[in-house]
Amino acid sequence: MNLIFKGNGQTSADIIKRYLISESVYPNTKTELELFGVHVRTVKGSWFYPEHQHAIYEINWVIEGQQIFTTNGKRHEQNAGDLVLVRPGEFHTSKGGNTEPFTYLCIHFNIDDKLFLPYLTNIDPLFFKASGSLAKKMAPFLERIAKLLGHDTFGLVEKMNMQAVMFEMLGMLVMGLEELEGKRLSERTVALAYQIAEQIEQNLEGGGQLEKSNIEQIAKKMNISVSYCNQLFKKVYQMSPRKYWSFKQLNKAKALLVQKDMTIEMVADQLGYYDISHFSRQFKRWTGLAPSQFRAKHESLY
């Protein structure tokens, strides 16, 4: 943050040095949180939602009744208070657990993967019973979100309140996941892995492909060896830098494809592919679907 003082040319550091007794400083932070289609819904016991995937996270929490929720072929019987967290790209479907109606809260969201993803890589499945410590920690925040959805209108105050509760809840989720995973990695290891992730994402934003030389440049910039760069990144993210780049590129491709004003040619160009056929082949290798098929399937579900 650059401060401009009028007149004598002094700096913020000059003032602090002159008058400071003690201080506590919060690190500079930029965390992006996006919410999509957050809703509370009461449905018939015959409810069925077809198998699908999306490029965002989902929290599904049963408030009342029973739901059968399946993620990547694993069937979970969800009763009141039970929680499922779906990662981007995971196929999932849901249906009523019996003939009685049930009520559930669904939150679709995106948050900066560099911060959030490491906490979700070692937990499988992401299904938490109401009696467990993590679900108990999150329940008060989920109840507040469900209550906020009862407003007739959503002005600035309501939107800010929703964002605030979401950040509190995600903080509690991370705390609960840390307890489940046990000992945390050292702060230096995590910090270095985040720096590598930032460099990879800058490469992605520039529309480039991730080559071996890019990893070498990242390692050199951070004054570490290429092997150590790969080793510590995998320790934090449970995947290689190249696989992380592919994961991020796939999520970006999916996010762009669901935007109706983006042609497939525009998506390919924004991702740095030299032609649409190259992008289409790569996307099909990742998902089993051509970009046009993915778009059509997404539109039919939503």
Side-chain angles (χ1 to χ4, degrees), residues 169-193:
M169 183 191 68
L170 292 175
M172 193 59 68
L173 173 59
V174 167
M175 186 184 298
L177 290 172
E178 284 180 352
E179 291 176 359
L180 289 174
E181 292 189 46
K183 185 179 178 180
R184 295 181 62 184
L185 296 166
S186 72
E187 290 186 9
R188 181 178 182 275
T189 298
V190 173
L192 286 172

Side-chain angles (χ1 to χ4, degrees), residues 33-40 105-107 141-151 154-170:
L33 173 67
E34 299 175 282
L35 299 177
F36 307 88
V38 180
H39 60 271
V40 168
L105 167 66
C106 180
I107 304 170
F141 302 100
L142 292 165
E143 289 169 358
R144 286 167 62 188
I145 289 170
K147 188 174 181 180
L148 284 169
L149 290 171
H151 285 276
F154 292 94
L156 179 61
V157 172
E158 289 77 19
K159 289 177 181 177
M160 295 298 285
N161 284 339
M162 180 66 80
Q163 292 270 331
V165 178
M166 276 295 302
F167 274 116
E168 284 188 82
M169 183 191 68
L170 292 175

Side-chain angles (χ1 to χ4, degrees), residues 61-99:
W61 184 59
V62 170
I63 298 173
E64 193 174 311
Q66 186 182 82
Q67 175 178 230
I68 303 300
F69 201 99
T70 302
T71 55
N72 289 337
K74 295 179 181 178
R75 184 179 183 275
H76 309 292
E77 185 178 292
Q78 255 185 299
N79 295 296
D82 292 346
L83 172 71
V84 173
L85 201 157
V86 181
R87 288 169 282 219
E90 292 186 326
F91 281 97
H92 54 288
T93 183
S94 62
K95 63 180 182 179
N98 50 46
T99 58

Side-chain angles (χ1 to χ4, degrees), residues 252-253 255-271 295 299:
K252 185 176 180 180
L256 292 172
L257 284 169
V258 300
Q259 296 179 27
K260 294 181 180 180
D261 59 337
M262 293 285 290
T263 66
I264 294 174
E265 289 86 351
M266 291 165 66
V267 173
D269 181 67
Q270 193 158 328
L271 290 170
R295 174 170 276 177
E299 288 175 351

Side-chain angles (χ1 to χ4, degrees), residues 199 202 216-224:
Q199 295 290 322
Q202 285 175 21
E216 291 171 352
Q217 290 168 9
I218 291 171
K220 184 176 181 180
K221 188 175 181 179
M222 296 175 63
N223 199 28
I224 58 177

Side-chain angles (χ1 to χ4, degrees), residues 100-114:
E100 298 299 317
F102 68 95
T103 303
Y104 70 94
L105 167 66
C106 180
I107 304 170
H108 294 112
F109 69 97
N110 247 345
I111 192 168
D112 189 344
D113 282 323
K114 292 192 302 299

